[in-house]
Amino acid sequence: MAVDYAVIVVYLAGMLAMGWWGMRRAKSKSEFLVAGRRLGPWMYSGTMAAIVLGGASTIGGVGLGYKYGLSGAWMVFAIGLGLLALSVFFSARIARLKVYTVSEMLDLRYGGRAGLITGIVMWAYTLMLAVTSTIAYATIFDVLFDMNRTLAIILGGSIVVAYSTLGGMWSITLTDMVQFVVKTIGVLLLLLPIAVVKAGGFAEMKAQLPTDYFAPLGIGGETIFTYVLIYTFGMLIGQDIWQRVFTARNDKVARYGGTVAGTYCLVYALAGAVIGTAAKVLYPNLANADDAFATIVKDELPMGVRGLVLAAALAAVMSTSSGALIACATVANNDIWQRLRGAVTRHRADGEPHDEVKGNRMFILAMGVAVIVIAIALNNVIEALTVAYNLLVGGLLVPILGGLLWKRGTVHGALSSVVVGGLAVIGLMWHYGILANQPVYYGLLASLATYVVVSLATPPTDAAVLAHWRERLAGRGGPEDTAEAAAETAVPATH
């Protein structure tokens, strides 16, 4: 295992080095939070794929393949479909808005009164996403070093918090690109073919497993529908995903780069299911399906290759964790803290300019410490993530997509939709159980009905607000554009 340990240590050291390098580039709010909106197609595609394919997609995707066969791909497949839909239909408009958060978009569309409550819901979602990703370090470090759960969470979480705090989105982008390459090599090019060969090939797998393992809908129609509802629609509205869209150099990069990333997700989904199916042939009696990934890596891969594949699993967890962390901190600072203070403070009382990078860096550090503490205390990961996604989809899907697609939607309809949808989801989870499907079904219907009825019953959005919204959708009139124009027209002082 010495070679495997060396591979992991070099990988972790590289992540910290990327954080230090990113710190030298992040000199402004735009560079720190959205990488200066300068990513080209290749880097954008790699980092977008990295953030959406986390530990649940890798370890959990293999586990679903172990339990259900090829139809276990549907969870990650739904994520890929959501990313494709976002990229093709919405990403160009989102990128042209030149905002930093989903709540800022809602304020622009509805007239400045929707941000705080939606920010709180989005913050809760991103916090739980970061927590559940951080907990996954315990599984990986346990396989690597037989490490105590708490120590594993602290070690993995601290590395992510360190490089995210140092360089913000630049560091996260650089590390995600490395993580994308490591995942591609480790999972697709190494683990997938080795697992199939060790299982005797597809012919042997079909001979030893029930036919349901090779049925496209074997996991069940209702389960597939729920995956699409939660994960496909969740991809359309999550702050962690939108913040990556904001990094695109232009709307074409956002559209085509995201399409490439979404297609990659579909391939990754099928690969995970095949690996899990092969693991079922090799280890038919595992007590926990989620142990399939670690078991096949530990027992079937040669030294060195094993370290690289475990680094791939670590990369999957780190990419989602860092993306969720910066999203959580961005929402906490921009949408909650600054709004509660009454206004965005741009200058100190003594006239010194406010250091926005330092302020956002402190929020990432604070949220990172909170994530690690909650991860140590929390036991049921699935329930926490289900609550987060139910609140996100049930509370925010309708007002966000409604704002993008229906000009008659109003701020009163949006706020009512968030409140009714959120409360309906919470109440139905209490009634049916957290893991039941009904809360998100009925919560989403209640949110939609409320949005339409209240919007039609209240005065239309002010024409000036809609005019400004259309200007921003066209890529004009953003704060960064205004600053650039002011710089270009400024007349130097003469002496």
Side-chain angles (χ1 to χ4, degrees):
M1 290 288 288
V3 175
D4 298 326
Y5 293 159
V7 171
I8 298 298
V9 170
V10 169
Y11 168 75
L12 293 176
M15 295 301 98
L16 291 174
M18 292 287 185
W20 184 261
W21 189 87
M23 181 177 68
R24 301 174 63 184
R25 297 200 62 169
K27 301 299 184 182
S28 68
K29 178 181 178 180
S30 175
E31 290 174 333
F32 190 81
L33 293 181
V34 290
R37 308 189 197 275
R38 289 189 291 178
L39 296 193
W42 293 110
M43 186 165 281
Y44 179 86
S45 298
T47 57
M48 181 63 89
I51 188 177
V52 300
L53 296 174
S57 301
T58 303
I59 299 171
V62 171
L64 287 171
Y66 182 89
K67 192 172 182 180
Y68 298 105
L70 298 187
S71 67
W74 271 105
M75 183 187 78
V76 184
F77 205 81
I79 291 172
L81 291 176
L83 188 51
L84 285 171
L86 174 70
S87 301
V88 173
F89 299 113
F90 300 108
S91 63
R93 281 182 283 177
I94 293 170
R96 288 195 294 264
L97 287 173
K98 299 290 179 69
V99 295
Y100 292 98
T101 68
V102 175
S103 295
E104 286 184 54
M105 167 263 169
L106 291 171
D107 273 353
L108 279 173
R109 168 60 182 81
Y110 294 113
R113 288 176 288 172
L116 181 59
I117 188 170
T118 57
I120 292 171
V121 175
M122 189 64 77
W123 174 78
Y125 158 72
T126 53
L127 179 69
M128 283 298 100
L129 184 61
V131 166
T132 53
S133 301
T134 302
I135 290 172
Y137 297 127
T139 302
I140 299 170
F141 283 115
D142 179 55
V143 174
L144 284 170
F145 308 116
D146 193 24
M147 187 179 289
N148 172 270
R149 177 184 184 273
T150 298
L151 184 59
I153 289 173
I154 292 173
L155 175 61
S158 296
I159 292 170
V160 170
V161 171
Y163 72 68
S164 301
T165 301
L166 286 172
M169 187 59 82
W170 267 123
S171 294
I172 292 171
T173 296
L174 294 171
T175 55
D176 277 1
M177 199 63 201
V178 173
Q179 289 158 357
F180 169 74
V181 173
V182 171
K183 279 192 286 192
T184 301
I185 295 172
V187 176
L188 297 185
L189 301 183
L190 292 175
L191 183 57
L192 174 61
I194 290 173
V196 172
V197 170
K198 291 283 186 178
F202 284 103
E204 184 66 19
M205 290 162 62
K206 286 185 176 181
Q208 293 201 30
L209 296 173
T211 55
D212 285 351
Y213 266 71
F214 301 92
L217 306 179
I219 198 170
E222 184 178 353
T223 299
I224 294 171
F225 179 75
T226 303
Y227 283 156
V228 170
L229 190 63
I230 293 178
Y231 295 112
T232 300
F233 285 109
M235 287 294 107
L236 298 180
I237 58 175
Q239 169 69 24
D240 52 323
I241 310 302
W242 277 41
Q243 199 154 344
R244 294 310 175 98
V245 176
F246 301 151
T247 66
R249 181 189 302 155
N250 52 49
D251 55 358
K252 291 182 180 178
V253 169
R255 182 184 292 114
Y256 296 116
T259 301
V260 171
T263 304
Y264 178 91
C265 291
L266 303 184
V267 175
Y268 199 89
L270 186 58
V274 171
I275 293 167
T277 304
K280 183 66 175 178
V281 173
L282 295 167
Y283 312 99
N285 299 312
L286 291 179
N288 185 350
D290 284 341
D291 292 337
F293 180 89
T295 303
I296 197 169
V297 169
K298 204 172 183 180
D299 294 349
E300 303 297 336
L301 300 186
M303 183 173 58
V305 173
R306 180 170 52 221
L308 184 59
V309 173
L310 287 172
L314 197 57
V317 175
M318 282 187 160
S319 57
T320 299
S321 181
S322 59
L325 176 59
I326 194 171
C328 177
T330 302
V331 171
N333 186 10
N334 289 12
D335 295 338
I336 300 176
W337 171 245
Q338 292 187 11
R339 292 171 192 270
L340 290 176
R341 291 176 62 189
V344 177
T345 304
R346 297 196 178 277
H347 292 83
R348 298 184 186 277
D350 58 6
E352 292 295 322
H354 176 59
D355 189 342
E356 291 183 305
V357 172
K358 182 179 178 180
N360 282 291
R361 185 173 280 136
M362 293 306 296
F363 264 88
I364 291 179
L365 180 60
M367 290 298 105
V369 172
V371 163
I372 292 172
V373 171
I374 296 170
I376 292 171
L378 194 64
N379 289 320
N380 199 316
V381 181
I382 300 299
E383 289 192 358
L385 196 58
T386 300
V387 170
Y389 268 102
N390 281 354
L391 283 174
L392 176 72
V393 174
L396 294 183
L397 178 67
V398 170
I400 292 172
L401 294 189
L404 289 169
L405 299 173
W406 190 40
K407 67 178 182 180
R408 185 60 180 83
T410 68
V411 65
H412 302 290
L415 290 174
S416 301
S417 174
V418 174
V419 173
V420 171
L423 290 178
V425 164
I426 292 171
L428 290 166
M429 283 191 293
W430 178 81
H431 178 72
Y432 288 105
I434 289 176
L435 299 179
N437 293 329
Q438 290 91 336
V440 72
Y441 295 168
Y442 300 141
L444 190 55
L445 288 174
S447 178
L448 176 60
T450 302
Y451 180 73
V452 172
V453 171
V454 175
S455 290
L456 292 175
T458 52
T461 304
D462 185 82
V465 171
L466 288 178
H468 180 56
W469 167 251
R470 287 191 291 270
E471 282 290 297
R472 293 293 292 269
L473 280 178
R476 298 185 295 268
E480 291 164 24
D481 297 328
T482 303
E484 289 176 5
E488 290 174 1
T489 57
V491 180
T494 56
H495 299 282

